[in-house]
Amino acid sequence: MKRKMALFLIDISLTFFAGVVALFVRLGFDWPELAKYFLSIPIYCTIAAIVYIANGTYKIVWLYASFKDMVLLMRGTIIAYLLNVVFFHLTNFVVLPRSVGMMTFLGSTMILIASRFFWQWLNTVPPSAGKRVLIVGAGSAGTMLLEDFEHRPQLGKVVGFIDDSPRKIGRKIHGVPVYGPADRAMEIVEMLKIDEVIIAIPSATAEQMRRIISLINPRRVKIRTLPGIYELTDGQARAGSLRELKIEDLLGREEVKVDLQQIKSYINGKRIMVTGAGGSIGSELCRQLSKLEPSTLILLGKGENSIYKIDEELRVENPSVERIRVIADISDPTRMEQVFRLTRPQIVFHAAAHKHVPLMEENPYEALKVNTLGTKIVAELCCKFEAEKMIFISTDKAVNPSSIMGATKRLAELLLLSMNQGCKTNFVIVRFGNVIGSRGSVVPKFMDQISKGGPVTVTDQRMVRYFMSLSEAVSLVLQAGSFGTNKDLFVLDMGKPISIDELARTMILLNGLIPEQDIKIVYTGSRSGEKMSEELFYEDEFVESTKHPKVKMVKTKRKIAYEELCKSLEEMIKLSIEKPGELIEYVKRFLRSIEEGKK
């Protein structure tokens, strides 16, 4: 609005100037004659002002004005002139000489058009070699990024910033101008002939990121971003940290502050084992743990390729950390005991699990063997070899489970909560929802469907899930591990549940496409074992706060004897082999009996 008002006042001033010049051209310096006709010029400008507004002159982005827009500007000056001719013809209040009126019209038209061309010329940046970069965010991160680009010109040239702060707009940082607000993003991209936009706001929330992305057309310009503040462990923003925009940035990006000193106090100098180290959560655990200076990091997994991949990554990123690569199945007690005897882990992060709900419905024995029996084997070995702590990764699907996957994870929770008192290991359970982008999750599936041109298949428009970014989830797991003493259950605050339908549409937009136009969305109906929404707590669980606002401690009065639970587990294993079709209902019936206090 301010820009429109400023342009309007400039136009009226230029029109007035044209009228005054016309009077002097017609009458020279005859002051009595000039005074006689001078009042006609303000009247001409008043009528012109009304016409300029009604003509739609200020609805145009004049920075990109075309020939048609210039014609519209001329239409306004012509109409203003004709109305003035009619007005002065019908009134005797003051006289406007015909030649003065004509010269005012011609002069104002030329000056107004010239002002538009001058504005375009003033804002035209001469072309330069290399990639042209625009940084969104003129804060400390953006400034550090600019300095890095200045030292590495081969990466491109930063030609401008965008920021919403009024005190920064119009100023310069290291000679680079700051434009704004962010609503003008595409206007500035076109003006500066930008090749790449970099979002340099590490502290931006998912909601703020969605707003910024909605203002930039990914079809027109490449978009990259700095990782979230929790991923920039040294706080330095560098060109090497830049990455492609990910769905986490739009749905689960949050600034999560954890007490690194407290976390480091139970990790530093210790032998740390991560089961499922090649998986999504396991590999991120390894990345973050390696920065906390453990004496040894034991990478245990069943798949050789995934273990090789994370080991190679850590070898490059943190070569000083000793790593032991272990290929083992957590449900194999003989092999697992050999591993524990050789490595003697002090802290165990148990992330190995089968987690794909429909697949586990079809393969219930595998779910029971890995998720429940495997957890039991790891826990008992922790006790036998006197590990200090075992942190178990659970899931919201373990609450009132409707699937065999959720049921087997709930059984694992109960096993750890009922471990024998003589065990010296502190057991910590961390329960949370979906991790954005983890293997087998809906995000990679949608991405694959979008890359193939669709359709994107959504089970139900009503279905919602809790989502958390991978880095955020793992940071909070490490924090919860520092809080846990013995048989503590923690639940991570997942924020608001997100519609799966909204997720699909957001991902389509992220790829520069339009839902239902470029990519169709098809609703297929919910699958076996799926709920419309997930829960994080049982009704009889009591929630208590911890030192971290996103980590809640859960207390329950429900008790079950460990021996009784193990006996039931043996029966379930036997049933899964002999009568697999009856296993799911048996497990659900068993869990219901526990929740109802019959066990």
Side-chain angles (χ1 to χ4, degrees):
M1 182 59 72
K2 290 181 179 179
R3 294 178 68 251
K4 290 181 180 179
M5 179 59 70
L7 184 57
F8 169 75
L9 293 175
I10 290 172
D11 286 352
I12 297 305
S13 299
L14 293 175
T15 303
F16 182 81
F17 174 76
V20 171
V21 170
L23 274 177
F24 274 95
V25 171
R26 172 68 175 80
L27 302 173
F29 291 90
D30 188 344
W31 299 110
E33 287 294 303
L34 285 171
K36 181 180 177 181
Y37 298 111
F38 185 82
L39 186 60
S40 63
I41 301 305
I43 294 173
Y44 186 106
C45 291
T46 301
I47 294 173
I50 296 171
V51 173
Y52 292 170
I53 294 172
N55 187 52
T57 304
Y58 306 103
K59 294 180 181 180
I60 298 170
V61 180
W62 286 106
L63 188 63
Y64 310 116
S66 63
F67 176 76
K68 290 183 179 179
D69 297 320
M70 296 302 178
V71 170
L72 184 142
L73 182 65
M74 291 178 62
R75 183 183 71 180
T77 58
I78 291 171
I79 293 173
Y81 169 69
L82 294 175
L83 287 177
N84 269 287
V85 169
V86 172
F87 175 83
F88 284 106
H89 178 72
L90 296 177
T91 63
N92 295 317
F93 175 67
V94 68
V95 176
L96 174 69
R98 284 176 293 178
S99 60
V100 173
M102 177 59 70
M103 284 188 289
T104 300
F105 155 64
L106 294 174
S108 62
T109 301
M110 288 188 293
I111 294 174
L112 292 183
I113 291 175
S115 70
R116 268 53 176 186
F117 283 122
F118 177 77
W119 176 248
Q120 289 181 336
W121 172 81
L122 197 64
N123 287 275
T124 299
V125 178
S128 62
K131 180 170 60 179
R132 300 176 63 78
V133 177
L134 179 69
I135 297 177
V136 179
S140 57
T143 303
M144 281 190 282
L145 199 56
L146 169 61
E147 292 171 350
D148 200 28
F149 269 91
E150 288 175 341
H151 287 103
R152 303 160 73 184
Q154 72 275 12
L155 297 178
K157 179 178 176 59
V158 177
V159 296
F161 286 93
I162 289 183
D163 203 282
D164 282 327
S165 173
R167 67 184 184 85
K168 295 178 181 177
I169 295 173
R171 305 182 75 176
K172 292 185 177 182
I173 298 174
H174 292 201
V176 177
V178 180
Y179 301 90
D183 293 343
R184 294 183 59 215
M186 283 311 297
E187 176 186 332
I188 295 164
V189 164
E190 296 295 341
M191 176 183 76
L192 300 178
K193 297 180 173 58
I194 297 299
D195 300 305
E196 179 175 284
V197 173
I198 296 173
I199 302 173
I201 313 176
S203 61
T205 64
E207 184 178 355
Q208 291 170 329
M209 291 292 287
R210 285 198 296 270
R211 174 182 173 265
I212 294 170
I213 297 305
S214 70
L215 301 171
I216 303 171
N217 182 1
R219 284 178 166 178
R220 163 63 183 82
V221 66
K222 182 180 181 181
I223 305 173
R224 288 201 292 169
T225 185
L226 281 173
I229 193 71
Y230 51 87
E231 296 173 271
L232 291 173
T233 53
D234 61 358
Q236 299 297 308
R238 302 185 183 90
S241 304
L242 294 172
R243 58 167 169 75
E244 300 297 319
L245 204 64
K246 299 190 294 188
I247 190 64
E248 291 97 315
D249 297 314
L250 306 187
L251 295 180
R253 178 188 178 112
E254 290 192 36
E255 180 180 358
V256 177
K257 296 180 180 179
V258 294
D259 189 339
L260 287 175
Q261 287 303 119
Q262 187 176 18
I263 295 172
K264 197 170 183 178
S265 67
Y266 82 98
I267 298 296
N268 183 253
K270 300 288 180 66
R271 295 185 303 279
I272 311 295
M273 173 184 285
V274 179
T275 70
S280 303
I281 295 173
S283 59
E284 181 63 21
L285 273 167
C286 293
R287 292 184 193 100
Q288 295 195 25
L289 285 167
S290 66
K291 298 173 184 176
L292 299 171
E293 300 177 8
S295 67
T296 306
L297 193 55
I298 305 156
L299 315 175
L300 188 148
K302 189 176 180 180
E304 60 176 331
N305 289 332
S306 59
I307 294 298
Y308 173 79
K309 185 177 179 180
I310 184 61
D311 177 65
E312 284 295 292
E313 181 181 333
L314 296 178
R315 182 181 62 81
V316 174
E317 297 295 327
N318 295 283
S320 61
V321 176
E322 180 186 358
R323 302 174 311 283
I324 299 176
R325 301 176 296 182
V326 178
I327 306 301
D329 185 342
I330 60 167
S331 62
D332 182 343
T334 303
R335 170 61 173 150
M336 288 302 294
E337 181 164 358
Q338 179 194 36
V339 172
F340 268 76
R341 183 180 297 108
L342 292 173
T343 61
R344 301 279 176 168
Q346 294 168 283
I347 309 290
V348 176
F349 287 87
H350 182 41
H354 283 318
K355 60 183 181 180
H356 199 285
V357 172
L359 269 179
M360 292 305 102
E361 291 296 298
E362 299 168 17
N363 300 274
Y365 169 73
E366 284 298 319
L368 189 64
K369 183 183 76 169
V370 173
N371 294 353
T372 309
L373 181 59
T375 301
K376 175 178 178 291
I377 290 170
V378 173
E380 289 180 346
L381 287 171
C382 284
C383 290
K384 182 174 181 178
F385 291 93
E386 298 185 349
E388 297 173 15
K389 187 173 290 189
M390 173 181 168
I391 295 98
F392 170 61
I393 307 298
S394 189
T395 170
D396 56 356
K397 294 173 179 60
V399 180
N400 298 316
S402 61
S403 65
I404 191 65
M405 192 283 275
T408 54
K409 294 292 276 189
R410 178 55 179 167
L411 287 171
E413 285 187 357
L414 293 171
L415 276 166
L416 297 183
L417 292 172
S418 61
M419 287 295 291
N420 293 324
Q421 295 297 324
C423 179
K424 295 181 179 180
T425 303
N426 293 332
F427 293 99
V428 179
I429 301 167
V430 185
R431 184 193 292 165
F432 56 92
N434 298 276
V435 172
I436 298 172
S438 63
R439 293 179 194 170
S441 72
V442 71
V443 171
K445 176 184 174 182
F446 284 170
M447 190 60 70
D448 181 60
Q449 291 175 334
I450 293 169
S451 68
K452 293 177 180 177
V456 171
T457 55
V458 175
T459 51
D460 195 295
Q461 284 181 294
R462 299 167 295 168
M463 188 168 286
V464 295
R465 290 290 183 269
Y466 291 102
F467 281 99
M468 183 175 279
S469 72
L470 186 56
S471 295
E472 178 189 7
V474 169
S475 293
L476 293 175
V477 166
L478 294 174
Q479 186 71 80
S482 71
F483 295 152
T485 54
N486 191 24
K487 299 179 183 177
D488 286 331
L489 194 159
F490 296 95
V491 175
L492 304 186
D493 182 355
M494 305 291 292
K496 295 180 180 179
I498 295 171
S499 162
I500 300 300
D501 185 48
E502 178 190 343
L503 173 64
R505 294 175 184 275
T506 301
M507 291 186 65
I508 292 170
L509 290 171
L510 184 61
N511 283 271
L513 302 169
I514 301 174
E516 303 293 4
Q517 291 185 25
D518 299 320
I519 300 288
K520 294 293 182 183
I521 297 176
V522 176
Y523 301 99
T524 59
S526 59
R527 298 170 297 180
S528 176
E530 286 187 323
K531 296 180 182 179
M532 284 296 162
S533 60
E534 299 289 1
E535 305 162 90
L536 292 171
F537 309 98
Y538 280 92
E539 288 185 1
D540 64 342
E541 289 181 336
F542 303 94
V543 182
E544 297 179 0
S545 298
T546 68
K547 294 179 181 179
H548 197 288
K550 280 186 167 288
V551 180
K552 307 296 182 184
M553 180 179 284
V554 174
K555 297 289 186 181
T556 180
K557 295 181 179 179
R558 189 180 296 118
K559 300 292 183 182
I560 183 171
Y562 183 72
E563 291 75 15
E564 184 179 354
L565 194 54
C566 290
K567 182 178 179 181
S568 298
L569 180 58
E570 290 176 5
E571 294 176 7
M572 294 175 196
I573 294 291
K574 183 178 179 181
L575 186 64
S576 68
I577 296 171
E578 296 177 355
K579 299 179 181 179
E582 298 179 14
L583 176 63
I584 295 175
E585 283 306 315
Y586 180 91
V587 174
K588 290 180 180 178
R589 201 163 50 244
F590 175 79
L591 287 174
R592 280 196 299 270
S593 69
I594 294 176
E595 311 310 330
E596 294 168 2
K598 296 178 182 178
K599 283 284 182 183

